[in-house]
Amino acid sequence: MTDNGRRSELAAALIEVNGRMARACEAAGRAAGEVTLVAVTKTYPASDVVLLAGLGVTDVGENRDQEAAPKAAEARAAGATPRWHFIGQLQRNKARSVVQYADVVESVDSVRLAEALARAAQGRPDPLEILIQVSIDGDPARGGVTGDDLWRVSDSVASADSLRLGGVMAVAPVDWAPDRAFELLRGLSERLVKSHPSATAISAGMSGDLEAAVRHGATHVRIGTSLLGMRNLLR
């Protein structure tokens, strides 16, 4: 496909996604500007990031450092400078690499990871924004904090000068109704804000459940398939 053809394809998909978000906000009695689209570009080339940035997308998400680091560099070289969100499970030994390009890490789920990121982020011009990943159902395969770990990890992040506590993130388990999952997340967010008033971000919702996420206060929705198409896992 030519660049112009891909741009037209992405532009049409973006109109549809933005329309869904606007309708979801209207139904929830919220302003459309309250919710940020994070375009999840994993498995897609840097050229798509450049095209999306040209279409007005301000935030992109990646979940593998070995893919994200060179992609961010290539996009930057082409003049695209979106806010990069790291949204996948992160090993501590990748912290130094991730802080070189990420503006937000949405998947912090332990004090040790928070401390590793704080050390790696020393010397950045701006603090690295951190979202605490919450486990909705306690399944360790997806990562995320459970129980009182939310408060321990959030206090650790908030105490680090090189980090900024932004809020929470979660993925709705496949066997849960999205409304149930996101209602629980919103309740935890409200409790967190009582201790950390600026930690108001809620990253929740993907292509299949963005409406439910917006209904329950999401400030960011992470959209991949509906925007970029079905992924070719062989890429």
Side-chain angles (χ1 to χ4, degrees), residues 86-170:
F86 189 85
I87 59 177
Q89 288 184 279
L90 179 61
Q91 296 177 325
R92 296 192 305 279
N93 63 4
K94 295 291 187 181
R96 191 172 298 278
S97 174
V98 168
V99 302
Q100 298 303 311
Y101 60 86
D103 300 284
V104 186
V105 175
E106 297 199 8
S107 50
V108 174
D109 60 0
S110 72
V111 170
R112 294 178 71 190
L113 177 55
E115 291 173 344
L117 287 166
R119 289 191 297 271
Q122 291 289 343
R124 283 173 55 102
D126 300 302
L128 178 68
E129 183 174 347
I130 300 295
L131 303 188
I132 310 300
Q133 183 175 353
V134 174
S135 174
I136 298 295
D137 61 355
D139 183 350
R142 278 190 296 273
V145 298
T146 58
D148 288 342
D149 282 347
L150 173 58
W151 321 119
R152 283 189 279 269
V153 177
S154 59
D155 287 346
S156 176
V157 171
S159 69
D161 291 340
S162 58
L163 306 179
R164 183 175 76 80
L165 179 62
V168 293
M169 180 273 263

Side-chain angles (χ1 to χ4, degrees), residues 6 62 70 75 85 91 94 105 107 111 174 182 203 216 226:
R6 182 57 170 161
E62 290 282 333
H85 296 239
Q91 296 177 325
K94 295 291 187 181
V105 175
S107 50
V111 170
V174 293
F182 297 142
S203 176
H216 293 284
S226 290

Side-chain angles (χ1 to χ4, degrees), residues 187-206:
L188 291 173
S189 171
E190 289 171 349
R191 290 178 61 189
L192 179 64
V193 169
K194 289 180 181 178
S195 301
H196 301 285
S198 63
T200 56
I202 302 176
S203 176
M206 298 186 291

Side-chain angles (χ1 to χ4, degrees), residues 6 9-18 20 37-44 48 52 61 87 205-210 221-233 235:
R6 182 57 170 161
E9 186 177 76
L10 290 173
L14 183 60
I15 289 170
E16 176 60 28
V17 169
N18 282 337
R20 285 180 64 189
L37 167 66
V38 180
V40 179
T41 54
K42 63 182 182 181
T43 78
Y44 286 96
D48 277 358
L52 287 168
I87 59 177
M206 298 186 291
S207 293
D209 55 18
L210 77 83
V221 292
R222 308 179 302 273
I223 307 299
T225 302
S226 290
L227 183 57
L228 290 115
M230 294 298 293
R231 291 186 175 84
N232 179 354
L233 299 182
R235 290 187 185 187

